[in-house]
Amino acid sequence: MIKQKFYTLFILTLFLTSAFAQNPVNQFDKDGLRHGFWTKNYHKTKEKRYEGVFKHGKEIDSFKFYTLSGGKSVLSAIKVFNETDSIAEVTFIASTKKVISEGKMNGKRFIGPWTFYHKNADVKMIEENYNDDGLLEGERFVYFKNGNVAESARYKNGKLDGESKWFSEKNILLRHTHYKEGELEGKTINYDANGNITSEGDYNNSQKKGIWKYYKDGKLTKEIDHTTQEVISKKE
């Protein structure tokens, strides 16, 4: 009986040894490049930092990245690589296992469409786009938890450029303005929570210029020439 148990244990040991030998971890190819399955722990700990598969130094398939929380490794990101370029499909994950954001990265740069979610919810918070240089490009939207748009804007090479709008949670327009290369430029209209105009006028290089009109409860109360800072008219 004892011999039988010893024989069984011996066979199991041989099997496990063979299995590990067939699937080595943290290996290099003949050129000294990482190849096969790799995993790395945080310095002087047994807590995992990342794990994934390399093919002659190139990340392929799914990589998992971990952050330390309370001294324990917690999954924080999943990056899915291909064999042809450095672009990866990326998902960032909270400690609650909820998705924080998702999109594409080229190295450390965000590229293409990205979506961010409200905390502890599956509801979209931000939708934005990045160019190949990792700069905001095109339309960007910010949403309230109820799904209504809070902000809409346009970007060019990382700077606000074009029409921008701000809304209340009840979908009332609060501000309508324009930008050029990151500076306020042209017509701007501000509104109160009821949708009444509170002020309107022009900007030039983020400075108020020309005649601005100011309102209260929808009625014109004063006009100021912001080029000369002269009050043109004022109504009590």
Side-chain angles (χ1 to χ4, degrees):
M1 187 68 177
I2 295 175
K3 289 184 178 181
Q4 185 177 358
K5 287 184 179 180
F6 178 79
Y7 179 75
T8 302
L9 181 60
F10 177 72
I11 294 298
L12 179 60
T13 302
L14 284 177
F15 173 78
L16 291 174
T17 303
S18 175
F20 279 114
Q22 292 174 11
N23 297 285
V25 177
N26 296 2
Q27 298 294 302
F28 295 92
D29 64 12
K30 62 182 179 60
D31 297 316
L33 300 173
R34 284 177 286 186
H35 190 67
F37 183 77
W38 268 70
T39 182
K40 186 175 182 180
N41 294 342
Y42 279 95
H43 185 58
K44 294 184 178 180
T45 74
K46 294 182 179 181
E47 299 303 320
K48 194 171 295 183
R49 185 173 180 179
Y50 76 81
E51 61 182 2
V53 177
F54 288 90
K55 185 176 181 180
H56 304 298
K58 170 72 173 69
E59 302 99 328
I60 61 171
D61 299 327
S62 180
F63 267 68
K64 293 181 179 180
F65 296 85
Y66 300 82
T67 187
L68 287 177
S69 178
K72 297 294 183 181
S73 288
V74 177
L75 182 64
S76 61
I78 298 174
K79 296 184 179 182
V80 181
F81 295 89
N82 59 73
E83 296 186 32
T84 59
D85 55 39
S86 58
I87 296 173
E89 298 278 352
V90 181
T91 303
F92 287 106
I93 303 167
S95 59
T96 58
K97 298 183 180 180
K98 289 287 186 180
V99 174
I100 298 173
S101 59
E102 55 189 348
K104 291 183 179 181
M105 293 181 73
N106 188 348
K108 294 182 179 181
R109 298 194 304 271
F110 284 18
I111 61 171
W114 268 81
T115 302
F116 298 79
Y117 297 90
H118 280 280
K119 187 176 181 180
N120 298 324
D122 297 325
V123 182
K124 290 180 183 179
M125 182 175 67
I126 300 173
E127 287 183 308
E128 56 193 20
N129 295 273
Y130 292 83
N131 61 24
D132 290 341
D133 294 321
L135 300 173
L136 284 169
E137 186 80 24
E139 291 186 306
R140 180 179 186 269
F141 296 95
V142 179
Y143 300 94
F144 291 109
K145 269 195 172 182
N146 64 8
N148 287 339
V149 174
E151 301 175 23
S152 67
R154 296 193 66 85
Y155 283 79
K156 186 176 181 180
N157 288 323
K159 295 181 179 180
L160 284 162
D161 197 283
E163 184 179 57
S164 291
K165 294 181 180 179
W166 285 260
F167 299 87
S168 72
E169 201 164 357
K170 295 181 179 180
N171 203 33
I172 296 173
L173 182 62
L174 300 176
R175 182 175 171 85
H176 184 190
T177 192
H178 297 78
Y179 287 85
K180 184 177 181 180
E181 296 182 353
E183 302 291 344
L184 285 163
E185 192 72 32
K187 186 76 170 181
T188 287
I189 305 175
N190 297 302
Y191 303 84
D192 63 22
N194 295 315
N196 299 313
I197 296 177
T198 58
S199 63
E200 59 180 336
D202 291 325
Y203 278 97
N204 178 249
N205 200 32
S206 294
Q207 298 292 321
K208 288 183 177 180
K209 296 294 181 181
I211 298 173
W212 272 69
K213 296 180 179 181
Y214 297 86
Y215 303 82
K216 186 176 181 180
D217 298 326
K219 296 181 180 180
L220 181 65
T221 58
K222 62 182 176 181
E223 294 177 282
I224 299 176
D225 186 338
H226 281 281
T227 301
T228 62
Q229 302 306 317
E230 178 185 359
V231 178
I232 296 175
S233 65
K234 187 175 182 179
K235 298 179 182 180
E236 298 296 332

